[in-house]
Amino acid sequence: MQVYSALAEKIYPSKLPIIFAITPTYARLVQKADLTSVANTFRQVPALHWIVVEDSFNKTKLVSDFLRISGIEYTHLCAKTPKEVTRSRGALQRNKALTWLRYMFNSGEAPPAVVYFADDDNTYTLELFEEMRYTKKVSVWPVGLAGGLRYESVKVNADGKVVGWKVKYAASRLFAIDMAGFAVSLNLILENPRAMFQVNARGGHLEPSFLMDLVKMKDLEPKADNCTKILWVFKIQTDKQVLAN
Ligand code: UGA
Ligand code: MN
């Protein structure tokens, strides 16, 4: 969309490729703590646009107020997960953000940009964003504290091509990778308008349900020194505490 391209130039005079970070979020005790920690990271990343999608019928005051004073460029959306959807978490919200991106930009006219699905409870280092920024199609890297391992990673051969997965959980998946371990160029998303997350996918099958419509394994771009560095993103479960007051 022309209007948005003009806006993007105004907001991001640096001409860096834009990072669209898509974050599903839902009301719970640790929500504000989680959002605060993610925002404190995102605020330091240049040319980042945060798409926050609440799992609710209406936008809440808590998240609206939080975003307004966050100091981060953002778009605030909402999409309530229906009761029948019991398996995947955040799928409908990510699809809502993909629809927004496809509405805002025409294929072939979008500014250079990359899309990252950043859950609200993970910990992200700043280096991560600078590597993913120049993604051509789909880039990948290890995820710390994921899938019952110190880190999940990908197998990279001597030619720098991805040839498999280093995971414990459901290794036979077409793309055995956590949501935090890949980013997709905006162009690829616009060129494949039907690529979406399968809303009732089994655990771990959400990521492949989206990636299989976009890319083949051989086209993945390994980052983090051919996936040898594991200090970039960590999956954290903040919601497992029992609080007495
Ligand atoms: C793992 C993956 O890392 C997620 O990206 C994936 O969506 C999920 O499994 C799945 O396949 O269901 P996990 O840590 O188990 O993640 O999930 P959460 O962090 O609890 O949820 C993922 C995202 O969805 C979070 O940003 C969370 O705020 C949001 N969410 C969760 C909702 O919007 N609604 C919910 O009811 C639950
Ligand atoms: Mn999580």
Side-chain angles (χ1 to χ4, degrees), residues 163-186:
V163 292
W165 317 105
K166 291 185 192 166
V167 297
K168 190 173 107 180
Y169 174 73
S172 63
R173 287 173 290 162
L174 207 48
F175 292 88
I177 190 164
D178 188 86
M179 201 68 72
F182 67 89
V184 183
S185 81
L186 176 60

PDB file of all heavy atoms in Angstrom, residues 163-186:
ATOM      1  N   VAL A 163      20.430 -29.529   6.336  1.00  0.00           N
ATOM      2  CA  VAL A 163      20.125 -30.891   5.878  1.00  0.00           C
ATOM      3  C   VAL A 163      19.326 -31.698   6.914  1.00  0.00           C
ATOM      4  O   VAL A 163      19.055 -32.879   6.691  1.00  0.00           O
ATOM      5  CB  VAL A 163      21.419 -31.664   5.509  1.00  0.00           C
ATOM      6  CG1 VAL A 163      22.068 -31.073   4.270  1.00  0.00           C
ATOM      7  CG2 VAL A 163      22.400 -31.665   6.678  1.00  0.00           C
ATOM      8  N   GLY A 164      18.952 -31.081   8.023  1.00  0.00           N
ATOM      9  CA  GLY A 164      18.160 -31.818   9.014  1.00  0.00           C
ATOM     10  C   GLY A 164      18.042 -31.036  10.314  1.00  0.00           C
ATOM     11  O   GLY A 164      18.430 -29.868  10.385  1.00  0.00           O
ATOM     12  N   TRP A 165      17.538 -31.748  11.325  1.00  0.00           N
ATOM     13  CA  TRP A 165      17.200 -31.080  12.592  1.00  0.00           C
ATOM     14  C   TRP A 165      17.901 -31.729  13.759  1.00  0.00           C
ATOM     15  O   TRP A 165      17.973 -32.962  13.818  1.00  0.00           O
ATOM     16  CB  TRP A 165      15.675 -31.153  12.808  1.00  0.00           C
ATOM     17  CG  TRP A 165      14.935 -30.864  11.548  1.00  0.00           C
ATOM     18  CD1 TRP A 165      14.307 -31.766  10.754  1.00  0.00           C
ATOM     19  CD2 TRP A 165      14.792 -29.581  10.904  1.00  0.00           C
ATOM     20  NE1 TRP A 165      13.780 -31.128   9.654  1.00  0.00           N
ATOM     21  CE2 TRP A 165      14.051 -29.797   9.721  1.00  0.00           C
ATOM     22  CE3 TRP A 165      15.206 -28.291  11.203  1.00  0.00           C
ATOM     23  CZ2 TRP A 165      13.727 -28.770   8.842  1.00  0.00           C
ATOM     24  CZ3 TRP A 165      14.881 -27.267  10.337  1.00  0.00           C
ATOM     25  CH2 TRP A 165      14.151 -27.520   9.172  1.00  0.00           C
ATOM     26  N   LYS A 166      18.406 -30.947  14.678  1.00  0.00           N
ATOM     27  CA  LYS A 166      18.971 -31.488  15.917  1.00  0.00           C
ATOM     28  C   LYS A 166      17.959 -31.228  17.021  1.00  0.00           C
ATOM     29  O   LYS A 166      18.050 -30.200  17.726  1.00  0.00           O
ATOM     30  CB  LYS A 166      20.282 -30.773  16.246  1.00  0.00           C
ATOM     31  CG  LYS A 166      21.426 -31.077  15.288  1.00  0.00           C
ATOM     32  CD  LYS A 166      22.687 -30.403  15.813  1.00  0.00           C
ATOM     33  CE  LYS A 166      23.784 -30.404  14.778  1.00  0.00           C
ATOM     34  NZ  LYS A 166      24.889 -29.494  15.127  1.00  0.00           N
ATOM     35  N   VAL A 167      16.975 -32.100  17.130  1.00  0.00           N
ATOM     36  CA  VAL A 167      15.927 -31.938  18.136  1.00  0.00           C
ATOM     37  C   VAL A 167      15.647 -33.277  18.787  1.00  0.00           C
ATOM     38  O   VAL A 167      15.992 -34.330  18.243  1.00  0.00           O
ATOM     39  CB  VAL A 167      14.612 -31.386  17.518  1.00  0.00           C
ATOM     40  CG1 VAL A 167      14.807 -30.006  16.938  1.00  0.00           C
ATOM     41  CG2 VAL A 167      14.059 -32.341  16.453  1.00  0.00           C
ATOM     42  N   LYS A 168      15.003 -33.226  19.951  1.00  0.00           N
ATOM     43  CA  LYS A 168      14.595 -34.453  20.637  1.00  0.00           C
ATOM     44  C   LYS A 168      13.125 -34.703  20.343  1.00  0.00           C
ATOM     45  O   LYS A 168      12.693 -35.822  20.138  1.00  0.00           O
ATOM     46  CB  LYS A 168      14.824 -34.252  22.145  1.00  0.00           C
ATOM     47  CG  LYS A 168      14.675 -35.508  22.976  1.00  0.00           C
ATOM     48  CD  LYS A 168      15.087 -35.254  24.414  1.00  0.00           C
ATOM     49  CE  LYS A 168      13.834 -35.208  25.277  1.00  0.00           C
ATOM     50  NZ  LYS A 168      14.069 -34.977  26.691  1.00  0.00           N
ATOM     51  N   TYR A 169      12.357 -33.644  20.292  1.00  0.00           N
ATOM     52  CA  TYR A 169      10.909 -33.751  20.172  1.00  0.00           C
ATOM     53  C   TYR A 169      10.466 -33.816  18.695  1.00  0.00           C
ATOM     54  O   TYR A 169      10.809 -32.948  17.906  1.00  0.00           O
ATOM     55  CB  TYR A 169      10.265 -32.532  20.866  1.00  0.00           C
ATOM     56  CG  TYR A 169       8.774 -32.447  20.683  1.00  0.00           C
ATOM     57  CD1 TYR A 169       7.931 -33.327  21.359  1.00  0.00           C
ATOM     58  CD2 TYR A 169       8.218 -31.509  19.822  1.00  0.00           C
ATOM     59  CE1 TYR A 169       6.563 -33.259  21.178  1.00  0.00           C
ATOM     60  CE2 TYR A 169       6.854 -31.430  19.641  1.00  0.00           C
ATOM     61  CZ  TYR A 169       6.031 -32.317  20.320  1.00  0.00           C
ATOM     62  OH  TYR A 169       4.681 -32.249  20.127  1.00  0.00           O
ATOM     63  N   ALA A 170       9.751 -34.855  18.338  1.00  0.00           N
ATOM     64  CA  ALA A 170       9.134 -35.010  17.016  1.00  0.00           C
ATOM     65  C   ALA A 170      10.091 -34.642  15.876  1.00  0.00           C
ATOM     66  O   ALA A 170       9.805 -33.767  15.059  1.00  0.00           O
ATOM     67  CB  ALA A 170       7.859 -34.180  16.940  1.00  0.00           C
ATOM     68  N   ALA A 171      11.200 -35.360  15.808  1.00  0.00           N
ATOM     69  CA  ALA A 171      12.254 -35.042  14.838  1.00  0.00           C
ATOM     70  C   ALA A 171      11.834 -35.299  13.394  1.00  0.00           C
ATOM     71  O   ALA A 171      12.477 -34.810  12.459  1.00  0.00           O
ATOM     72  CB  ALA A 171      13.507 -35.844  15.165  1.00  0.00           C
ATOM     73  N   SER A 172      10.776 -36.064  13.184  1.00  0.00           N
ATOM     74  CA  SER A 172      10.379 -36.401  11.813  1.00  0.00           C
ATOM     75  C   SER A 172       9.520 -35.308  11.161  1.00  0.00           C
ATOM     76  O   SER A 172       9.113 -35.452  10.010  1.00  0.00           O
ATOM     77  CB  SER A 172       9.611 -37.720  11.809  1.00  0.00           C
ATOM     78  OG  SER A 172       8.430 -37.568  12.558  1.00  0.00           O
ATOM     79  N   ARG A 173       9.262 -34.246  11.882  1.00  0.00           N
ATOM     80  CA  ARG A 173       8.479 -33.150  11.277  1.00  0.00           C
ATOM     81  C   ARG A 173       9.202 -32.582  10.049  1.00  0.00           C
ATOM     82  O   ARG A 173      10.429 -32.547  10.017  1.00  0.00           O
ATOM     83  CB  ARG A 173       8.275 -32.027  12.305  1.00  0.00           C
ATOM     84  CG  ARG A 173       7.295 -32.357  13.403  1.00  0.00           C
ATOM     85  CD  ARG A 173       7.276 -31.279  14.464  1.00  0.00           C
ATOM     86  NE  ARG A 173       8.507 -31.252  15.253  1.00  0.00           N
ATOM     87  CZ  ARG A 173       8.898 -30.234  16.001  1.00  0.00           C
ATOM     88  NH1 ARG A 173       8.184 -29.140  16.051  1.00  0.00           N
ATOM     89  NH2 ARG A 173      10.035 -30.307  16.687  1.00  0.00           N
ATOM     90  N   LEU A 174       8.431 -32.131   9.097  1.00  0.00           N
ATOM     91  CA  LEU A 174       9.007 -31.579   7.867  1.00  0.00           C
ATOM     92  C   LEU A 174       9.935 -30.393   8.202  1.00  0.00           C
ATOM     93  O   LEU A 174      11.005 -30.235   7.623  1.00  0.00           O
ATOM     94  CB  LEU A 174       7.851 -31.117   6.968  1.00  0.00           C
ATOM     95  CG  LEU A 174       8.062 -31.083   5.470  1.00  0.00           C
ATOM     96  CD1 LEU A 174       8.678 -32.377   4.978  1.00  0.00           C
ATOM     97  CD2 LEU A 174       6.721 -30.828   4.766  1.00  0.00           C
ATOM     98  N   PHE A 175       9.491 -29.556   9.132  1.00  0.00           N
ATOM     99  CA  PHE A 175      10.331 -28.477   9.660  1.00  0.00           C
ATOM    100  C   PHE A 175      10.286 -28.603  11.183  1.00  0.00           C
ATOM    101  O   PHE A 175       9.332 -28.162  11.813  1.00  0.00           O
ATOM    102  CB  PHE A 175       9.813 -27.099   9.233  1.00  0.00           C
ATOM    103  CG  PHE A 175       9.947 -26.854   7.757  1.00  0.00           C
ATOM    104  CD1 PHE A 175       8.937 -27.242   6.885  1.00  0.00           C
ATOM    105  CD2 PHE A 175      11.076 -26.252   7.226  1.00  0.00           C
ATOM    106  CE1 PHE A 175       9.061 -27.035   5.515  1.00  0.00           C
ATOM    107  CE2 PHE A 175      11.208 -26.044   5.863  1.00  0.00           C
ATOM    108  CZ  PHE A 175      10.199 -26.438   5.004  1.00  0.00           C
ATOM    109  N   ALA A 176      11.310 -29.250  11.758  1.00  0.00           N
ATOM    110  CA  ALA A 176      11.316 -29.481  13.206  1.00  0.00           C
ATOM    111  C   ALA A 176      11.987 -28.301  13.891  1.00  0.00           C
ATOM    112  O   ALA A 176      13.137 -28.373  14.333  1.00  0.00           O
ATOM    113  CB  ALA A 176      12.021 -30.789  13.522  1.00  0.00           C
ATOM    114  N   ILE A 177      11.279 -27.200  13.954  1.00  0.00           N
ATOM    115  CA  ILE A 177      11.879 -25.956  14.438  1.00  0.00           C
ATOM    116  C   ILE A 177      10.837 -25.164  15.218  1.00  0.00           C
ATOM    117  O   ILE A 177       9.656 -25.173  14.871  1.00  0.00           O
ATOM    118  CB  ILE A 177      12.423 -25.141  13.232  1.00  0.00           C
ATOM    119  CG1 ILE A 177      13.276 -23.970  13.707  1.00  0.00           C
ATOM    120  CG2 ILE A 177      11.306 -24.670  12.306  1.00  0.00           C
ATOM    121  CD1 ILE A 177      14.134 -23.383  12.608  1.00  0.00           C
ATOM    122  N   ASP A 178      11.285 -24.521  16.297  1.00  0.00           N
ATOM    123  CA  ASP A 178      10.382 -23.717  17.113  1.00  0.00           C
ATOM    124  C   ASP A 178      10.121 -22.366  16.441  1.00  0.00           C
ATOM    125  O   ASP A 178      10.949 -21.863  15.671  1.00  0.00           O
ATOM    126  CB  ASP A 178      11.007 -23.485  18.497  1.00  0.00           C
ATOM    127  CG  ASP A 178      10.034 -22.820  19.453  1.00  0.00           C
ATOM    128  OD1 ASP A 178       9.253 -23.556  20.099  1.00  0.00           O
ATOM    129  OD2 ASP A 178      10.031 -21.574  19.547  1.00  0.00           O
ATOM    130  N   MET A 179       8.983 -21.817  16.787  1.00  0.00           N
ATOM    131  CA  MET A 179       8.578 -20.512  16.250  1.00  0.00           C
ATOM    132  C   MET A 179       9.671 -19.449  16.406  1.00  0.00           C
ATOM    133  O   MET A 179       9.825 -18.560  15.570  1.00  0.00           O
ATOM    134  CB  MET A 179       7.348 -20.062  17.053  1.00  0.00           C
ATOM    135  CG  MET A 179       6.479 -19.053  16.416  1.00  0.00           C
ATOM    136  SD  MET A 179       5.615 -19.671  14.971  1.00  0.00           S
ATOM    137  CE  MET A 179       4.404 -20.758  15.675  1.00  0.00           C
ATOM    138  N   ALA A 180      10.449 -19.554  17.499  1.00  0.00           N
ATOM    139  CA  ALA A 180      11.470 -18.545  17.785  1.00  0.00           C
ATOM    140  C   ALA A 180      12.718 -18.713  16.926  1.00  0.00           C
ATOM    141  O   ALA A 180      13.606 -17.867  16.936  1.00  0.00           O
ATOM    142  CB  ALA A 180      11.859 -18.610  19.260  1.00  0.00           C
ATOM    143  N   GLY A 181      12.782 -19.810  16.135  1.00  0.00           N
ATOM    144  CA  GLY A 181      14.010 -20.144  15.433  1.00  0.00           C
ATOM    145  C   GLY A 181      14.057 -19.802  13.966  1.00  0.00           C
ATOM    146  O   GLY A 181      14.969 -20.228  13.263  1.00  0.00           O
ATOM    147  N   PHE A 182      13.102 -19.023  13.482  1.00  0.00           N
ATOM    148  CA  PHE A 182      13.147 -18.658  12.060  1.00  0.00           C
ATOM    149  C   PHE A 182      12.508 -17.291  11.813  1.00  0.00           C
ATOM    150  O   PHE A 182      11.730 -16.791  12.626  1.00  0.00           O
ATOM    151  CB  PHE A 182      12.434 -19.726  11.203  1.00  0.00           C
ATOM    152  CG  PHE A 182      10.945 -19.806  11.428  1.00  0.00           C
ATOM    153  CD1 PHE A 182      10.055 -19.034  10.694  1.00  0.00           C
ATOM    154  CD2 PHE A 182      10.422 -20.661  12.394  1.00  0.00           C
ATOM    155  CE1 PHE A 182       8.690 -19.097  10.906  1.00  0.00           C
ATOM    156  CE2 PHE A 182       9.050 -20.736  12.623  1.00  0.00           C
ATOM    157  CZ  PHE A 182       8.183 -19.948  11.870  1.00  0.00           C
ATOM    158  N   ALA A 183      12.871 -16.692  10.677  1.00  0.00           N
ATOM    159  CA  ALA A 183      12.239 -15.435  10.238  1.00  0.00           C
ATOM    160  C   ALA A 183      12.026 -15.541   8.727  1.00  0.00           C
ATOM    161  O   ALA A 183      12.759 -16.237   8.023  1.00  0.00           O
ATOM    162  CB  ALA A 183      13.120 -14.247  10.566  1.00  0.00           C
ATOM    163  N   VAL A 184      11.014 -14.838   8.234  1.00  0.00           N
ATOM    164  CA  VAL A 184      10.599 -14.954   6.831  1.00  0.00           C
ATOM    165  C   VAL A 184      10.580 -13.568   6.197  1.00  0.00           C
ATOM    166  O   VAL A 184      10.101 -12.614   6.813  1.00  0.00           O
ATOM    167  CB  VAL A 184       9.177 -15.567   6.756  1.00  0.00           C
ATOM    168  CG1 VAL A 184       8.746 -15.768   5.314  1.00  0.00           C
ATOM    169  CG2 VAL A 184       9.104 -16.880   7.518  1.00  0.00           C
ATOM    170  N   SER A 185      11.083 -13.465   4.970  1.00  0.00           N
ATOM    171  CA  SER A 185      11.049 -12.149   4.333  1.00  0.00           C
ATOM    172  C   SER A 185       9.596 -11.773   4.024  1.00  0.00           C
ATOM    173  O   SER A 185       8.770 -12.640   3.698  1.00  0.00           O
ATOM    174  CB  SER A 185      11.882 -12.135   3.057  1.00  0.00           C
ATOM    175  OG  SER A 185      11.150 -12.698   1.993  1.00  0.00           O
ATOM    176  N   LEU A 186       9.300 -10.498   4.160  1.00  0.00           N
ATOM    177  CA  LEU A 186       7.936 -10.025   3.893  1.00  0.00           C
ATOM    178  C   LEU A 186       7.536 -10.359   2.466  1.00  0.00           C
ATOM    179  O   LEU A 186       6.403 -10.767   2.201  1.00  0.00           O
ATOM    180  CB  LEU A 186       7.850  -8.508   4.139  1.00  0.00           C
ATOM    181  CG  LEU A 186       6.506  -7.849   3.807  1.00  0.00           C
ATOM    182  CD1 LEU A 186       5.366  -8.439   4.643  1.00  0.00           C
ATOM    183  CD2 LEU A 186       6.582  -6.337   4.010  1.00  0.00           C
TER     184      LEU A 186
END
